[in-house]
Amino acid sequence: METSDLHGSILPIHYANNEPNEVGLAKVAALLQKEKERAELEGGFVLAIDNGDLIQGTPLAYYHARIDNGPTDPMVLALNRLGYDAAVIGNHEFNYGLAVLNKAVAESDFPWLSANIVKEGTEEPYFGKPYLIKRYNGVTVAVLGLTTPYIPNWENPANIEGLAFLDAVETASRWVPYLRGEEGADVVVISYHGGFEKDPETGEAAEVPTGENQGYRLCMEVPGIDVLLTGHQHREIAGKTLNGVTILQPGYLGQHAGAVRIMLVPDGDGWTIAEKTSELLPVNGVEPDAELLALAQPYEIATQQWLDTPIGSIDGDMTVRDPMRIRMKDNAMIEFINKVQMETSGAAISNTALFSDEAPGFPPRVTMRHIVSNYIYPNTLKVIRITGRDMLEALERNATYFTTDGNGKVAINPKFAVPKPQHYNYDMWEGIEYTLDVSRPEGSRVVRLTHRGEPVDPDGEYDVAMNNYRAGGGGDYTMFQGKTVVKDIPTDVSELIANYILERKTVAATVDGNWEVVTGR
């Protein structure tokens, strides 16, 4: 049984409005219990693995990590109660820093696996043993943990200090023969917090090969793998094999549990796999586990009280009714976040994104619930020094978010929607004036770019405020990598937004119209 990319989701609710939602570990728990009962009747056993991105993502997780980190991590507490056998380190595990992560690992009754996250300068896995061995009635199952090695391209360097991230394929190539030979594994499972860089069915490239996702290569280049559990891309993949490897990816937030069923038959002194299947078990309509709900209740009460804390007022309209419209023309909500970043950092230029189509914007009366519903990531703020040429290149990268259909209507480029929505990789800028004409070929869509009314100088230098993910080049904004950091503000942007409103009590919605997206200009 696999969960992956739970992102702090225990309860089946939308935190933006507390409406019911068909997600969460409490629902998965009921499915897991049924599978354990079924396995017992059939004389087998269940291995429960969480595939990473566990402790970050909901207000409940944020409250625990940032506001009251004293109690046991609620996600760890839940997995302990459910008897999980192991968890894999995901990229979002580092978002709150190593102290928070190490505490969660120490509180776990199960091992955290990642063979390719090592102590800097060594090949020694940072989180202890890189694999799990399960022996049952003479059968030996090995589970090797791997994590996308692309983390240094996203994460705040302070949060991964002293760590090195090795190539996942090379690491698997070293460990799989060891598990087969030294540990005598009858079944080798890789639980990899990463996805597929190529379509598992056609082999066609699904993305630029950066090394972020290496699932296809793992199946094709590393002999001896029976099962590959994946995640990171939030895809729903089951019922497929790739080069003889059974593959699985169960979506995100606990919308599904993933199940791989393996039938083994005796073969001399060992065992042979007679059958392997994979499937997704949806949580729709499943009654959540009452014990898990009770376990989460103290955390939930504190979180809900915090979420309902009044912050201040908005004078004007900062709501989001149409996400596409927000991304097409300057608007009050995005301008406000950029203004917070600029005034906090002292930078004259800023960029930010509308991270999700579910972002509601800010109503007339603002609480913490509205802050974390719009700014959903624990990003911090950086000011980096870039050239005008970097700025132009970033805006051209931005403009690839859009495409046009046969009638000239603007639509989202499928590369930003499939297999995983990447709305967070489209930025909107303040402090410069620009126009993107998306009817033009990619690479030539910036038709206006000025700063304070003057053309941006390709060789000129400009200080720009942006979140730490983007400043590190996240989202393939490689033009930002390695730039001089003028200022590093190690406070969550959501907290900066809340403080800004708290100090002013009332914030006016303003729109200066500095940018727009057009067709045919």
Side-chain angles (χ1 to χ4, degrees):
M1 294 283 287
E2 178 199 8
T3 48
S4 190
D5 300 272
L6 284 167
H7 286 288
S9 178
I10 297 179
L11 304 181
I13 62 171
H14 289 283
Y15 276 97
N17 53 22
N18 284 341
E19 292 292 320
N21 193 14
E22 294 289 353
V23 300
L25 189 57
K27 283 177 170 277
V28 170
L31 294 173
L32 177 59
Q33 183 56 36
K34 285 182 181 177
E35 290 302 314
K36 286 186 173 182
E37 291 169 0
R38 173 179 170 174
E40 190 175 345
L41 286 172
E42 295 177 351
F45 65 97
V46 171
L47 266 172
I49 309 291
D50 184 78
N51 191 57
D53 282 3
L54 178 72
I55 65 172
Q56 175 277 336
T58 57
L60 184 144
Y62 181 94
Y63 183 87
H64 172 73
R66 287 287 196 244
I67 311 299
D68 184 11
N69 193 233
T72 301
D73 187 286
M75 298 303 292
V76 167
L77 195 65
L79 264 57
N80 285 345
R81 179 258 180 241
L82 295 175
Y84 266 65
D85 293 280
V88 172
I89 300 291
N91 53 294
H92 282 286
E93 256 67 73
F94 295 98
N95 287 174
Y96 299 124
L98 276 176
V100 171
L101 174 54
N102 288 336
K103 174 179 173 292
V105 170
E107 292 165 345
S108 303
D109 294 340
F110 48 87
W112 287 74
L113 311 176
S114 186
N116 64 316
I117 300 178
V118 299
K119 297 175 182 177
E120 199 169 30
T122 76
E123 290 189 358
E124 182 183 350
Y126 177 82
F127 294 97
K129 208 165 189 180
Y131 62 87
L132 169 75
I133 295 294
K134 178 88 169 185
R135 291 186 170 90
Y136 183 89
N137 282 357
V139 174
T140 300
V141 180
V143 181
L144 178 70
L146 296 171
T147 305
T148 173
Y150 209 61
I151 290 171
N153 293 280
W154 307 310
E155 191 54 72
N156 189 327
N159 291 349
I160 54 174
E161 191 172 358
L163 305 184
F165 298 82
L166 307 181
D167 183 86
V169 176
E170 292 175 5
T171 303
S173 296
R174 289 198 308 273
W175 281 106
V176 170
Y178 178 88
L179 297 174
R180 288 286 186 191
E182 299 301 316
E183 293 287 3
D186 300 294
V187 179
V188 172
V189 177
I190 287 185
S191 190
Y192 166 54
H193 189 82
F196 294 95
E197 71 279 32
K198 293 184 178 182
D199 186 299
E201 293 185 276
T202 67
E204 293 180 6
E207 60 186 26
V208 177
T210 61
E212 175 180 349
N213 298 296
Q214 297 178 287
Y216 192 90
R217 286 188 59 203
L218 282 168
C219 291
M220 300 302 291
E221 298 180 23
V222 183
I225 303 171
D226 296 307
V227 176
L228 179 65
L229 309 177
T230 64
H232 186 57
Q233 293 172 316
H234 298 185
R235 297 173 69 179
E236 296 171 8
I237 300 173
K240 294 181 172 67
T241 60
L242 176 58
N243 195 29
V245 180
T246 299
I247 59 176
L248 182 67
Q249 192 169 147
Y252 72 116
L253 297 182
Q255 295 170 329
H256 298 86
V260 177
R261 305 186 197 283
I262 303 174
M263 181 68 72
L264 293 145
V265 295
D267 181 16
D269 293 332
W271 297 81
T272 298
I273 295 175
E275 185 181 349
K276 294 183 295 176
T277 59
S278 63
E279 65 176 311
L280 299 178
L281 308 176
V283 302
N284 283 35
V286 173
E287 281 296 313
D289 181 88
E291 189 176 336
L292 215 59
L293 293 179
L295 208 64
Q297 196 61 18
Y299 299 88
E300 181 67 8
I301 290 170
T303 301
Q304 290 291 346
Q305 288 174 345
W306 173 70
L307 285 172
D308 289 329
T309 302
I311 301 296
S313 302
I314 303 296
D315 180 11
D317 187 1
M318 285 193 195
T319 56
V320 176
R321 296 179 184 84
D322 181 348
M324 192 66 167
R325 214 171 145 195
I326 291 284
R327 297 183 180 109
M328 292 281 291
K329 194 169 185 178
D330 192 22
N331 59 87
M333 187 251 192
I334 295 299
E335 185 165 302
F336 165 62
I337 295 175
N338 273 320
K339 189 182 293 184
V340 171
Q341 294 186 168
M342 292 160 75
E343 292 193 19
T344 301
S345 68
I349 304 171
S350 171
N351 65 46
T352 191
L354 183 70
F355 295 121
S356 163
D357 279 354
E358 284 71 51
F362 297 106
R365 299 277 180 245
V366 181
T367 66
M368 278 305 304
R369 189 182 305 278
H370 303 118
I371 303 290
V372 298
S373 295
N374 286 289
Y375 209 99
I376 58 178
Y377 296 112
N379 293 329
T380 57
L381 191 62
K382 287 192 175 184
V383 178
I384 62 171
R385 184 160 292 157
I386 67 172
T387 65
R389 191 172 288 104
D390 296 325
M391 188 185 298
L392 175 62
E393 191 179 340
L395 288 169
E396 289 290 0
R397 159 69 180 156
N398 238 17
T400 64
Y401 178 81
F402 299 104
T403 187
T404 54
D405 61 19
N407 300 316
K409 185 179 178 183
V410 180
I412 298 172
N413 186 332
K415 291 179 181 178
F416 286 81
V418 180
K420 175 182 176 181
Q422 296 181 40
H423 306 300
Y424 51 82
N425 281 330
Y426 170 73
D427 294 325
M428 291 154 279
W429 292 58
E430 192 66 29
I432 57 174
E433 305 82 42
Y434 66 96
T435 301
L436 308 179
D437 182 351
V438 296
S439 66
R440 295 168 63 91
E442 290 185 6
S444 61
R445 290 179 167 182
V446 179
V447 295
R448 174 180 67 124
L449 177 55
T450 61
H451 174 52
R452 295 172 177 165
E454 296 294 324
V456 167
D457 178 3
D459 296 316
E461 292 187 330
Y462 302 85
D463 292 350
V464 183
M466 62 186 73
N467 67 57
N468 64 285
Y469 171 79
R470 187 69 77 240
D476 292 331
Y477 285 82
T478 54
M479 70 293 299
F480 295 149
Q481 288 178 336
K483 297 301 180 184
T484 299
V485 177
V486 178
K487 189 176 289 188
D488 187 354
I489 302 170
T491 304
D492 288 1
V493 177
S494 57
E495 190 176 334
L496 297 176
I497 295 169
N499 291 340
Y500 188 94
I501 300 174
L502 277 166
E503 289 171 6
R504 288 157 182 79
K505 302 293 190 284
T506 299
V507 173
T510 62
V511 184
D512 63 11
N514 68 299
W515 65 271
E516 62 179 341
V517 177
V518 301
T519 57
R521 180 176 297 183

